[in-house]
Amino acid sequence: MPDKDTALLNVTGLKRYFDVSRPFLNRVFERQKRQYLKAVNGVSFSIKRGETFALVGESGCGKSTVAHLVVGLFPPSSGKIEFDGINMTALKNRAQLRPVRRRMAMIFQDPYASLNPRWRVSNIISEPIKAFGLINGRQAIIQRTSALLEQVGLSPQDSSKFPHEFSGGQRQRISIARALAGEPEFIVCDEPTSALDVSVQAQILNLIKNLQTKFGLSYLFISHDLAVVRHIADHVGVMYMGRLCEIAPVNTLFQNPCHPYTRMLLDTIPDIEKMGNECAPPQGEIPNPLSPPSGCAFHLRCPQATDHCINNRPELENIASDVKVACFQARS
Ligand SMILES: Nc1ncnc2c1ncn2[C@@H]1O[C@H](COP(=O)(O)OP(=O)(O)O)[C@@H](O)[C@H]1O
Ligand SMILES: [Mg+2]
């Protein structure tokens, strides 16, 4: 019996650099060096069984890259990903990765793009069942597909339809059914409600939450919106320019945000008590990731930045037993 308190996923020093150099001849004639975009630049976190770890931050900070690395869609430049004690980064080919991949699934932001428009729902959902050889026999697969559709609030009759016959929310339900088909323990949800109408978002979030309780799932839940994360996460990691700047339990983060960037993100959430007050949009612009600022990457936008922050980069360190912050001001 696995220990409930041990981490299911351990990510250590994860980096992914993308080579965005100009073509070889251009570099030779224009005397340019190779250029790397440091999309994920040393990220460490862990997720316990049955827990939801949320990754938040503005667009471009590296959230989806972390998601793709975690499920093994491409390899990290360096760092380690351990799933249930298995070092995924040491697995060299697809065949070795397969048994671990079966235990994970991913739900994408855009249910329009992530479902094959030419496939019937029955094929979309049963594909992981067949690919992993989980159930044999046509009738048994049909039964399982019907059960999955019911679990996500759709009807078994929907299995003969095509994705375009559904609304955005229903399509995301199909993606969820497909994710569940492989009987995963761990699901990476990359902005699963960002493409949906506000009224539908809550329904999908509730479904994701209920399925967690029912199947004891663990989630890496990605969102650019702290408000979405509040009701679903146990722990939150705030990302800025490829690094984590704060990790804390969700209530602690909302009551006592320590990093100035976390406070900036929280200020953008409309507050019912302060109704009528405009909520502040995030201040300043995200710097160009190809030429990141010196020192603390946030110093250009930070109201508390000092000379020390311009010249030195703060490491992510514990300021309480369950709170980690990368900020010189938070420690003093
Ligand atoms: N395949 C790629 N090649 C080059 N740059 C990429 C690639 N994928 C992502 N990036 C860049 O990496 C950074 C992080 O992207 P991403 O992980 O998608 O961020 P997020 O999901 O937080 O919006 C961005 O600057 C993005 O342009
Ligand atoms: Mg993304």
Side-chain angles (χ1 to χ4, degrees):
M1 190 64 191
D3 182 357
K4 211 177 169 307
D5 280 339
T6 56
L8 179 64
L9 185 83
N10 259 320
V11 171
T12 326
L14 193 66
K15 291 187 182 177
R16 173 71 199 203
Y17 295 176
F18 290 109
D19 187 345
V20 290
S21 313
R22 307 255 292 145
F24 174 71
L25 281 180
N26 293 63
R27 288 205 311 277
V28 172
F29 289 120
E30 295 162 19
R31 294 177 190 278
Q32 285 184 352
K33 287 192 188 143
R34 277 197 173 276
Q35 235 188 347
Y36 294 95
L37 191 149
K38 299 175 176 177
V40 176
N41 200 8
V43 163
S44 306
F45 62 89
S46 50
I47 307 179
K48 289 193 183 133
R49 280 173 203 284
E51 188 189 74
T52 300
F53 184 90
L55 212 47
V56 295
E58 288 159 290
S59 174
C61 70
K63 306 180 295 295
S64 294
T65 306
V66 171
H68 290 115
L69 291 167
V70 163
V71 299
L73 284 177
F74 46 65
S77 305
S78 65
K80 196 166 159 187
I81 300 163
E82 278 175 301
F83 181 78
D84 198 17
I86 303 161
N87 181 359
M88 286 178 63
T89 22
L91 305 175
K92 292 286 171 259
N93 53 47
R94 288 175 80 108
Q96 286 182 337
L97 202 58
R98 216 173 116 88
V100 191
R101 273 294 279 123
R102 210 279 300 144
R103 300 168 65 188
M104 306 178 161
M106 186 154 171
I107 303 168
F108 297 90
Q109 168 172 357
D110 188 352
Y112 299 85
S114 62
L115 301 177
N116 188 332
R118 283 182 292 274
W119 283 17
R120 286 184 201 278
V121 169
S122 54
N123 287 333
I124 292 174
I125 297 179
S126 62
E127 198 249 355
I129 303 175
K130 293 172 191 159
F132 291 115
L134 297 175
I135 300 173
N136 293 315
R138 209 176 99 84
Q139 208 50 42
I141 292 177
I142 292 173
Q143 270 176 16
R144 171 77 176 136
T145 312
S146 302
L148 284 162
L149 281 167
E150 282 174 340
Q151 265 157 10
V152 298
L154 295 170
S155 138
Q157 278 87 51
D158 289 327
S159 63
S160 58
K161 296 184 186 160
F162 289 94
H164 73 259
E165 296 176 64
F166 296 88
S167 68
Q170 287 171 325
R171 272 187 255 219
Q172 202 53 301
R173 287 176 193 270
I174 298 169
S175 312
I176 295 170
R178 179 183 156 89
L180 292 175
E183 298 168 31
E185 294 150 57
F186 173 64
I187 304 184
V188 176
C189 311
D190 189 1
E191 309 243 17
T193 62
S194 302
L196 305 176
D197 289 346
V198 177
S199 57
V200 184
Q201 280 190 12
Q203 294 169 14
I204 298 295
L205 287 174
N206 280 333
L207 174 66
I208 289 175
K209 210 170 167 169
N210 292 340
L211 291 169
Q212 176 167 47
T213 320
K214 200 164 171 188
F215 299 112
L217 296 165
S218 313
Y219 290 134
L220 171 60
F221 188 96
I222 291 173
S223 177
H224 65 274
D225 186 352
L226 263 175
V228 166
V229 150
R230 181 165 205 168
H231 300 288
I232 199 146
D234 298 297
H235 285 85
V236 182
V238 181
M239 254 185 110
Y240 190 73
M241 295 197 76
R243 289 197 174 92
L244 281 164
C245 61
E246 180 161 2
I247 302 180
V250 67
N251 290 331
T252 314
L253 190 99
F254 275 82
Q255 280 157 19
N256 185 21
C258 291
H259 198 284
Y261 181 57
T262 313
R263 287 201 283 272
M264 183 187 280
L265 290 180
L266 280 172
D267 283 344
T268 64
I269 301 178
D271 188 338
I272 296 172
E273 284 159 29
K274 292 188 228 148
M275 200 83 113
N277 288 358
E278 288 280 303
C279 56
Q283 300 293 306
E285 276 181 34
I286 305 167
N288 179 354
L290 282 173
S291 50
S294 64
C296 172
F298 189 59
H299 83 252
L300 293 170
R301 301 169 73 186
C302 181
Q304 289 166 277
T306 63
D307 283 349
H308 191 64
C309 309
I310 297 168
N311 299 312
N312 302 277
R313 185 166 59 78
E315 293 291 337
L316 191 67
E317 283 175 9
N318 278 92
I319 58 159
S321 63
D322 53 358
V323 180
K324 288 189 169 110
V325 183
C327 174
F328 297 117
Q329 315 302 328
R331 267 173 241 162
S332 50

